[in-house]
DNA sequence: TGGACTGCCTAACGATCGTTAGGTAGGGTC
DNA sequence: GACCCTACCTAACGATCGTTAGGCAGTCCA
């Protein structure tokens, strides 16, 4: 009954790394297997197919982001702005602490096989709706269409950091500040301008 | 002396479409050729290799963005904000008017073969430095490190629109407004807060 | 009329791909 | 000691890949 999960996990980790670095088509099962120290055929003992493995890696990436969002929500906030700030920090930290899994979701989802994409849509929608609810709560009186645009812009800005962020050059803190400032003040300013 | 460019151009166009839709590894020359109505081997009459073709498509995408930036710069602006706004609009319009070429640059560059990436770096750097100069001009007194962060966040927000923008659901104008508002007011607000 | 050039073709090369079939060493259970 | 399960292995399958060699119809110029 004791199942050894470590080999399976090692395959998942290696797959996440290779997939996010090289893309789906350029990552062969033989290369992946050699990274783990086994043969390609042995991957099939743990996973049904390359697509199933891909799906599971992407699923794990999404779970990481959702878990973090829920953890952040546990805290108490003295303002809408600090709540937004905490979530921006949380998203960025979760993103970069598990880059192989999460970056894959940002950069490779679009070109993933249709069967893979379909399985992931519900979980992605779930995460998006969490953010929509958050923005609606901290930016009341902002129309839904604008909330939607803000969320997409915010996601774009945050997720782009996987392409350029270099931990050696400084923390994510400053980026987190700038982004929060931008979308907070921007929305606020816009609201006042339109109201007048 | 008259060279027939139409076939070559048709290959480039089809390649841009397939590459941005399916990724490099999943786009075979046989599929590409069938799209154009020729055989895979005939692609080699026009291009040296698959990588050379890929490089040229990416190069064209970058040229589109740079040309647009320069065209926008021709105009007169009555404020830094309107200048920024014009460039944001221009970037978004150029991006979406040539989506197959430009989206490829945003989404697939990271996983492109090293030899392809190396050839494109100078042109990408050029475009980035144009934006750095722009932001430095319209946001004076903002430290260089923050300009850099702002540019990266702005790029991320704008470029993410390739994943979700649906022309059928409305124009890019509103997104352009929201983004400009955010980064303008955010930087402004931040400057005042830090100064105090 | 003939040679050169253009723009495609067919056929095939070796390499590599995801995947399957079947075997085997080693540990746990009765 | 017989059995079974786990976690791998070797070997091979057909398919597909990028690429090359060589041929052929058409056009153009001398």
């Amino acid at each position: 009954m004791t199942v050894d999960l470590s080999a399976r996990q090692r395959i998942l980790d290696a797959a996440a790394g290779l997939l996010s670095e090289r893309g789906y088509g350029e990552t062969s099962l033989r290369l992946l297997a050699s990274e783990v120290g086994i043969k390609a055929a042995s991957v099939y003992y743990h996973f049904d197919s390359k697509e199933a493995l891909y799906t599971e890696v992407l699923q794990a990436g999404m779970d990481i982001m959702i878990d973090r969002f829920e953890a952040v929500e546990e805290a108490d906030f003295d303002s809408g702005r600090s709540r937004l700030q905490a979530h921006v920090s949380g998203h960025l930290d979760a993103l970069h602490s598990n880059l192989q899994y999460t970056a894959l979701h940002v950069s490779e989802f679009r070109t993933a096989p249709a069967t893979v994409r379909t399985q992931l849509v519900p979980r992605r929608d779930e995460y998006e709706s969490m953010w929509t609810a958050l923005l609606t709560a901290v930016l009341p009186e902002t129309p839904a269409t604008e909330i939607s645009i803000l969320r997409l812009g915010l996601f774009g800005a945050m997720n782009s950091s996987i392409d350029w962020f270099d931990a050696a050059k400084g923390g994510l803190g400053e980026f987190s500040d700038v982004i929060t400032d931008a979308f907070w003040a921007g929305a606020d300013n816009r609201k006042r301008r339109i109201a007048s």
Side-chain angles (χ1 to χ4, degrees), chain A:
Chain A
M1 197 59 184
T2 48
V3 182
D4 181 17
L5 287 177
S6 70
R8 191 172 200 277
Q9 192 60 50
R10 283 207 316 277
I11 295 173
L12 278 171
D13 288 346
L18 288 172
L19 287 167
S20 66
E21 187 180 307
R22 308 165 52 94
Y24 182 69
E26 284 79 8
T27 300
S28 74
L29 291 180
R30 284 173 177 82
L31 175 63
L32 165 63
S34 83
E35 197 102 333
V36 184
I38 61 174
K39 299 294 173 182
S42 304
V43 173
Y44 283 82
Y45 178 77
H46 299 281
F47 300 93
D48 286 341
S49 66
K50 189 187 179 188
E51 285 198 358
L53 171 58
Y54 194 17
T55 304
E56 197 161 325
V57 171
L58 284 165
Q59 201 72 259
M62 204 70 254
D63 288 348
I64 288 167
M65 303 309 293
I66 289 178
D67 288 351
R68 174 61 70 99
F69 189 100
E70 286 169 345
V72 170
E73 201 73 334
E74 297 284 306
D76 284 328
F77 304 104
D78 53 13
S79 71
R81 194 190 177 287
S82 70
R83 184 174 164 202
L84 176 61
Q85 166 99 7
H87 277 290
V88 169
S89 286
H91 179 98
L92 288 173
D93 186 60
L95 194 64
H96 287 273
S97 300
N98 309 273
L99 206 55
Q100 295 158 334
Y101 285 91
T102 55
L104 192 57
H105 230 286
V106 173
S107 61
E108 299 290 317
F109 180 79
R110 230 187 73 263
T111 55
T115 56
V116 173
R117 276 205 315 275
T118 309
Q119 289 180 267
L120 292 160
V121 166
R123 204 104 177 97
R124 285 172 65 100
D125 286 350
E126 191 183 337
Y127 190 55
E128 285 175 12
S129 71
M130 291 167 110
W131 274 89
T132 300
L134 169 68
L135 290 173
T136 305
V138 301
L139 297 170
E141 297 166 49
T142 305
T145 61
E146 198 169 317
I147 290 285
S148 168
I149 291 179
L150 280 170
R151 179 180 60 76
L152 291 162
L154 185 56
F155 267 46
M158 293 190 297
N159 291 342
S160 76
S161 65
I162 65 170
D163 282 335
W164 54 263
F165 178 69
D166 182 355
K169 289 185 186 165
L172 280 166
E174 191 178 2
F175 182 58
S176 173
D177 284 351
V178 171
I179 290 296
T180 306
D181 266 333
F183 282 86
W184 183 262
D188 198 54
N189 185 59
R190 193 172 167 74
K191 197 165 59 190
R192 273 187 279 108
R193 192 151 54 86
I194 290 172
S196 67

